[in-house]
Amino acid sequence: MLRQFAIPAILSFLCVAPSWAGKTYTREEAVNTALENSSDVKSAEEDLKSATSQVTAGYGNAYPSIDLNATVTRIFGLDDVEKSTDLTDAATQMAMGKDAEGHPMANAYDQQVLGPALDGLIYGMKSQGYRWQSSVGITATQILYAEGKVGVGIEIAKAYKRINEVKLENTKAQVRYDVENAFDQLIYLDSAIKIMYASKELLQENLNFVEQSLKSGMATELDLIRVQLSMDQLNSTIASAEKMRVLARNSLLNTMGLEWETDVQFQGELRDPAAGYSFPDTSMANVKKRRKELVMLEETENMKNLNIEIEQGGYKPTVVLLGGIKYANNKNEFFDWDAPTWDKLNKYIALNVSMNLFNGMKTREGVAQARSSLRSTQIQKETAERGFRVQIESCVNTLEDANSQIEIAKRQIDLAQKNYDLTNEAYKLGRETQLHVLSAENSLRTAKIDYMKAIVEWNKAYNALLQATGEY
């Protein structure tokens, strides 16, 4: 609230008070409500959750991957596969006969080893043609080196998370900025309306005086008409201001993410320029650290640098350690299963090294594109820094002009008040015309409203400079 102002009557207009029952929001409550309901804030929070998840996923790429695979295949057009002992039986039969020299045609080795071995070999070859072929296996894959992409990918995810953290902070600051500017505008309109009503009371006193003077013959009918016309104009101005206030209130409610309610009120104060608010730090070295847009561009630049490393990974090998265990079951019928035993399981471990030798210059062009993207971000950063300098200079000039306008507005009120008091007293003594009284009253009202505008403009300029320097 203004505390050092030469016109005490104006002080009461700087605080917005509800005139009827209903929900009343302070400035901070309005800001907090907007932060809770803002779709931009909610969207930024979801983006941050996603970015945080990407960091966790990046670390997950460094851990082993364990996969379960199960396959059931039905092959059509095959006959039943059965075990046979044809060669063993033939060797046994031959052992019972003798050759021309009287020796057995087959010996014990043929019957006990060679015959069963050949029968088993034939069965093994036939078993590849079972109608039902099923397998279940577990595979573990550990990336030992993936062209540097795992570690770099984690760093990129961290940088992206940082960008979204700053983005959320910046979004909240922008919501606060919008709400406070809308709040100040509403305070101005409420105060202006109160000034008009106070002016209306003065005008009504003047009207009463003219009516009495007309009856006593001290005033003319023209004097009365002038006051009545001035009253009509003031009533019209008040009605217009009240409509603007409704729109400003609804706009603020919309910014807060609330439905329009006719009984909602706002209560708050404007900064007093005379209260000695510190001038924002305009040092570019500090501005660069505080401006969230620059922080995001710096993190983006870091990401683009890391992305070059990712693309350059196409020139490097990939080393992967593999291990697995698999159970296979091949039968003529689906319901026929062998009990798995450790010795019959397929167990393996492998070390795989792969490296691209030629991919149509895809890697080379990917690196070139990544470098171009980095340079584009650097140009954006340089442009933003120059733009911030211009923005700060403009905001400083605007704030200085606002200070000057406040001093001018103060003097205007002092002069307008003296002019009205002297003119009104002179009129009552018959030394001034009614037209001059109305003009003095209008000048006083305009001076008060102009002062309110100057205070609001100063607050806007101060907020804009805080935002430009990153202190908001």
Side-chain angles (χ1 to χ4, degrees):
M1 181 179 291
L2 293 178
R3 293 182 289 275
Q4 300 176 7
F5 183 42
I7 310 297
I10 300 297
L11 292 175
S12 60
F13 299 129
L14 296 179
C15 182
V16 179
S19 57
W20 60 83
K23 173 64 177 176
T24 300
Y25 289 94
T26 64
R27 181 187 297 270
E28 198 60 30
E29 287 173 343
V31 169
N32 291 336
T33 301
L35 291 175
E36 290 175 3
N37 297 331
S38 171
S39 59
D40 292 336
V41 172
K42 291 178 180 178
S43 178
E45 288 174 342
E46 292 302 321
D47 289 342
L48 178 56
K49 290 180 182 178
S50 176
T52 302
S53 176
Q54 290 184 37
V55 175
T56 304
Y59 279 109
N61 291 331
Y63 300 145
S65 173
I66 300 176
D67 303 294
L68 173 66
N69 299 292
T71 304
V72 178
T73 304
R74 172 66 166 93
I75 301 176
F76 296 93
L78 298 179
D79 296 330
D80 286 353
V81 176
E82 301 289 346
K83 287 185 177 181
S84 68
T85 58
D86 293 343
L87 295 180
T88 302
D89 293 342
T92 302
Q93 186 66 31
M94 291 174 65
M96 297 175 63
K98 296 183 179 180
D99 57 14
E101 297 179 356
H103 298 108
M105 298 178 66
N107 55 31
Y109 179 80
D110 295 332
Q111 301 174 57
Q112 299 174 9
V113 179
L114 187 58
L118 292 174
D119 284 332
L121 178 61
I122 293 172
Y123 173 71
M125 296 174 64
K126 288 182 177 180
S127 66
Q128 302 302 315
Y130 276 112
R131 289 193 297 268
W132 289 95
Q133 299 181 4
S134 307
S135 64
V136 179
I138 295 179
T139 303
T141 304
Q142 174 63 62
I143 298 176
L144 301 180
Y145 181 76
E147 306 165 355
K149 292 183 178 180
V150 175
V152 176
I154 293 173
E155 294 304 315
I156 289 179
K158 288 180 178 179
Y160 183 64
K161 177 185 176 184
R162 175 59 180 158
I163 289 174
N164 281 275
E165 288 173 344
V166 177
K167 176 185 174 184
L168 177 58
E169 295 174 6
N170 195 44
T171 302
K172 289 181 177 180
Q174 185 61 47
V175 170
R176 175 178 287 275
Y177 181 83
D178 293 340
V179 170
E180 292 200 346
N181 278 341
F183 201 97
D184 289 346
Q185 183 65 19
L186 192 58
I187 290 177
Y188 159 70
L189 288 171
D190 273 343
S191 302
I193 290 172
K194 289 184 179 181
I195 291 173
M196 292 178 191
Y197 273 111
S199 181
K200 183 178 178 180
E201 292 179 3
L202 293 176
L203 190 57
Q204 184 63 50
E205 292 177 3
N206 198 302
L207 177 60
N208 296 337
F209 178 77
V210 172
E211 288 175 343
Q212 293 175 1
S213 298
L214 180 62
K215 293 177 181 179
S216 63
M218 296 178 61
T220 65
E221 188 174 355
L222 181 59
D223 292 332
L224 179 61
I225 292 174
R226 286 171 178 167
V227 179
Q228 289 173 337
L229 287 174
S230 182
M231 180 66 77
D232 290 342
Q233 291 174 355
L234 181 56
N235 285 332
S236 176
T237 303
I238 291 174
S240 177
E242 287 178 338
K243 290 178 182 178
M244 291 176 61
R245 187 203 176 279
V246 171
L247 291 175
R249 182 200 62 198
N250 291 341
S251 177
L252 178 53
L253 288 172
N254 185 60
T255 304
M256 293 167 60
L258 299 177
E259 297 292 335
W260 295 358
E261 299 180 33
T262 57
D263 59 347
V264 171
Q265 293 294 313
F266 297 90
Q267 184 173 12
E269 302 171 345
L270 292 172
R271 290 190 189 94
D272 177 9
Y277 286 94
S278 60
F279 194 82
D281 177 16
T282 58
S283 169
M284 281 306 300
N286 294 328
V287 169
K288 291 178 181 180
K289 296 177 183 178
R290 291 192 301 264
R291 282 299 293 254
K292 297 176 178 61
E293 297 88 343
L294 278 180
V295 174
M296 287 190 287
L297 284 172
E298 287 173 355
E299 290 297 335
T300 302
E301 182 181 6
N302 182 33
M303 285 180 56
K304 297 295 178 68
N305 263 317
L306 294 171
N307 192 53
I308 293 176
E309 293 186 34
I310 291 287
E311 296 296 336
Q312 289 175 336
Y315 297 120
K316 302 174 183 178
T318 300
V319 182
V320 179
L321 181 64
L322 304 169
I325 185 169
K326 182 178 180 181
Y327 164 67
N329 181 76
N330 300 333
K331 294 295 180 179
N332 292 318
E333 303 295 340
F334 174 73
F335 53 79
D336 188 9
W337 285 74
D338 290 334
T341 61
W342 180 255
D343 292 338
K344 292 185 178 181
L345 295 178
N346 180 19
K347 303 173 285 291
Y348 67 93
I349 185 171
L351 181 67
N352 176 267
V353 179
S354 62
M355 182 174 179
N356 176 259
L357 298 180
F358 181 74
N359 59 4
M361 298 183 183
K362 180 180 178 180
T363 299
R364 189 189 72 175
E365 296 307 316
V367 172
Q369 293 170 20
R371 287 175 174 164
S372 178
S373 180
L374 171 62
R375 182 54 189 154
S376 177
T377 300
Q378 290 172 340
I379 293 172
Q380 291 178 23
K381 181 182 173 184
E382 294 165 1
T383 303
E385 290 177 1
R386 292 194 301 270
F388 292 153
R389 288 189 177 92
V390 175
Q391 181 186 12
I392 291 172
E393 183 178 353
S394 175
C395 289
V396 168
N397 291 337
T398 302
L399 185 59
E400 291 175 351
D401 290 341
N403 279 317
S404 299
Q405 291 302 315
I406 288 175
E407 295 304 318
I408 293 173
K410 284 181 180 180
R411 291 194 298 271
Q412 290 296 320
I413 289 181
D414 289 335
L415 294 174
Q417 186 69 53
K418 291 178 182 178
N419 180 52
Y420 174 77
D421 292 340
L422 294 174
T423 304
N424 192 42
E425 290 298 325
Y427 173 72
K428 292 179 180 179
L429 297 174
R431 298 175 181 174
E432 272 292 358
T433 65
Q434 180 64 28
L435 184 60
H436 288 165
V437 174
L438 295 177
S439 176
E441 191 278 331
N442 183 65
S443 296
L444 178 59
R445 179 174 66 250
T446 301
K448 291 178 179 179
I449 293 176
D450 286 346
Y451 176 77
M452 288 301 305
K453 287 182 180 178
I455 294 295
V456 172
E457 291 303 317
W458 184 92
N459 276 266
K460 288 182 179 179
Y462 191 78
N463 285 340
L465 184 55
L466 287 175
Q467 187 183 58
T469 57
E471 292 188 25
Y472 194 85

